[in-house]
Amino acid sequence: MTPLVSVIIPTIHRAQLVLRALEGVFGQTMREIEAMFIVDGHDSATLQALGSIGDPRLRVKALSTGVGCAGARNVGVGEARGRWIAFLDDDDEWFPGSSKSNCRPPNSARVPAPSCRAA
């Protein structure tokens, strides 16, 4: 499955929060979605928590050294497979239907729509 939306979630030392963020992403009605966690430096507890999830829509990239939140987001954008990019902080969550209203592609736009990534 090629995702329509890639949700980029930078994290570090938040093993107790990442599963809630992930649950919100995977709880969407949109099925063509991937969750891309960027672990910003050494964090075995978060990697272990994410490693316990057996969903192919989950992708994890562990960085050997921290690059900061903005740098981690940029890494995620570079790794994303979706046509559209969404950002989510590791301590936030999407409620059901969030992706439908927040990630509605402007397919019928008559003028170019701003986006974080050109397809």
Side-chain angles (χ1 to χ4, degrees):
M1 170 202 71
T2 301
L4 180 62
V5 176
S6 294
V7 183
I8 311 301
I9 309 166
T11 190
I12 185 71
H13 305 302
R14 294 287 189 84
Q16 72 281 7
L17 295 175
V18 294
L19 297 181
R20 185 184 71 175
L22 183 62
E23 184 177 300
V25 172
F26 288 169
Q28 299 302 302
T29 56
M30 176 189 297
R31 303 308 301 162
E32 305 85 13
I33 196 167
E34 75 173 346
M36 180 78 198
F37 279 89
I38 308 299
V39 181
D40 190 24
H42 179 72
D43 182 357
S44 57
T46 298
L47 289 172
Q48 183 177 3
L50 292 170
S52 69
I53 306 300
D55 193 311
R57 298 174 296 163
L58 170 63
R59 295 178 60 212
V60 178
K61 172 113 179 145
L63 305 179
S64 57
T65 57
V67 295
C69 191
R73 282 190 180 105
N74 288 337
V75 169
V77 168
E79 295 282 329
R81 296 182 298 196
R83 181 167 180 206
W84 301 96
I85 302 291
F87 296 107
L88 182 66
D89 290 338
D90 60 1
D91 62 346
D92 290 336
E93 64 182 299
W94 277 357
F95 294 111
S98 294
S99 66
K100 199 173 207 178
S101 61
N102 292 337
C103 300
R104 190 176 14 215
N107 291 333
S108 61
R110 298 179 77 123
V111 296
S115 79
C116 297
R117 177 180 180 186

